[in-house]
Amino acid sequence: MNKQSAITPAEQLKKKLHKIKFSEDLRETKKDFDSEEFVRMAKEVRKTFKDDELILPSNSSF
Amino acid sequence: MSLFYPQTLVSELSHRDLFVDTNTFIGAISHPNIFDNLFKDLKESGCTFLTIPSVVFEFTRGTDSIQDFNKRTKFITNFSSIYPVEKHLEDLEDLTVVLQRIQGQMSYTDFLLIACLYKFPKAFLISANHKDCPLDILDRKFIITIDTDKDIRNYGIYQFSPEKFDRAANNILKG
């Protein structure tokens, strides 16, 4: 009887998550900056925050 | 909405490494139309945007779904490289002692960001968290001011100062 290997919930979750890759040599692989893409992505990310999470402490003093 | 910064900022950061803290990412997503020209100019000058894993952790905290988590991580990884500073924490005893003496309540993330400046003295850090960027060991090289019409916010560009660090270390040696 063949034993079917089941994928665990943790493995399923790992597959769904965007992989965060690290750079050891301080050189980024992507050098071009796309303003439209930056603004578009920033606005999308902005929607994932609650308003009170975006309130930063006053920093008028140093 | 306006952004003010010194004319020499872009040339001074040309082909240099710029570490970005959590509050700067939050500022950027709050006002992307203000930040994008500056970021574009810096990137075109060869400036490399970097951050560290604990900043990614802080920036992604509080997401309610996998989709939201992925949006935030894709944003950060699209515009900066992630330097795994935690793999390179050797030989930081002197920095640890000095920082604990001058800024005992500093968060671990802020310590790691300053550790990056200590390890890469030609690199810079952009931060809105000035109280945790001690001028006892850092130079504040530039100030970027953002007027959002509702608020005025200052971001500092910091760099490690070996001379100041030596003075701070000497103070500890003197007891």
Side-chain angles (χ1 to χ4, degrees):
Chain A
M1 184 167 146
N2 290 330
K3 188 176 181 182
Q4 292 187 349
S5 56
I7 186 168
T8 66
E11 288 165 337
Q12 286 180 50
L13 179 60
K14 194 182 278 287
K15 284 177 185 281
K16 287 180 182 288
L17 294 170
H18 174 64
K19 180 71 178 167
I20 302 169
K21 293 181 182 173
F22 296 157
S23 297
E24 289 275 0
D25 63 359
L26 297 201
R27 295 298 107 188
E28 64 177 342
T29 55
K30 181 179 177 181
K31 293 202 182 296
D32 295 336
F33 181 82
D34 185 327
S35 284
E36 282 186 24
E37 186 183 22
F38 170 76
V39 172
R40 180 189 62 77
M41 290 184 79
K43 288 180 177 177
E44 283 296 311
V45 169
R46 165 69 181 85
K47 294 176 191 174
T48 70
F49 281 85
K50 300 177 183 59
D51 286 347
D52 58 357
E53 291 175 317
L54 296 175
I55 298 173
L56 299 175
S58 169
N59 74 346
S60 55
S61 61
F62 290 88
Chain B
M1 291 194 288
S2 307
L3 179 72
F4 304 93
Y5 56 88
Q7 284 184 333
T8 56
L9 172 68
V10 174
S11 60
E12 289 289 326
L13 265 60
S14 173
H15 296 100
R16 293 296 179 91
D17 300 315
L18 178 65
F19 286 91
V20 183
D21 77 346
T22 310
N23 283 348
T24 302
F25 279 118
I26 290 178
I29 60 113
S30 297
H31 305 289
N33 294 102
I34 297 180
F35 277 90
D36 81 309
N37 281 337
L38 173 60
F39 285 175
K40 183 177 171 65
D41 289 345
L42 287 172
K43 289 231 177 187
E44 287 179 349
S45 79
C47 181
T48 300
F49 282 35
L50 296 152
T51 194
I52 60 176
S54 59
V55 168
V56 178
F57 176 83
E58 290 182 349
F59 188 69
T60 55
R61 186 160 41 196
T63 51
D64 293 330
S65 68
I66 292 172
Q67 290 77 15
D68 285 355
F69 178 87
N70 285 341
K71 282 181 185 175
R72 294 193 195 182
T73 53
K74 282 179 185 173
F75 175 78
I76 281 196
T77 57
N78 206 38
F79 295 104
S80 65
S81 297
I82 316 297
Y83 176 66
V85 62
E86 293 84 349
K87 291 186 180 180
H88 305 284
L89 294 181
E90 66 278 4
D91 297 327
L92 289 179
E93 294 86 354
D94 53 343
L95 179 69
T96 302
V97 168
V98 166
L99 279 177
Q100 287 177 347
R101 179 70 64 91
I102 62 178
Q103 196 75 14
Q105 301 305 310
M106 178 178 289
S107 73
Y108 191 54
T109 296
D110 290 326
F111 163 74
L112 291 175
L113 286 167
I114 295 177
C116 290
L117 298 184
Y118 172 88
K119 283 190 167 286
F120 305 106
K122 292 187 178 179
F124 297 88
L125 165 68
I126 180 170
S127 174
N129 187 16
H130 311 299
K131 289 183 169 51
D132 286 326
C133 294
L135 296 184
D136 306 69
I137 63 169
L138 303 178
D139 288 328
R140 185 163 49 234
K141 307 295 281 188
F142 301 99
I143 295 174
I144 298 170
T145 300
I146 291 176
D147 180 353
T148 69
D149 294 336
K150 292 181 182 177
D151 186 22
I152 293 175
R153 185 152 294 277
N154 296 303
Y155 294 82
I157 304 284
Y158 295 89
Q159 193 176 43
F160 184 77
S161 169
E163 295 79 18
K164 288 183 177 180
F165 187 78
D166 272 339
R167 283 200 289 274
N170 198 39
N171 287 340
I172 295 175
L173 285 170
K174 285 180 183 175

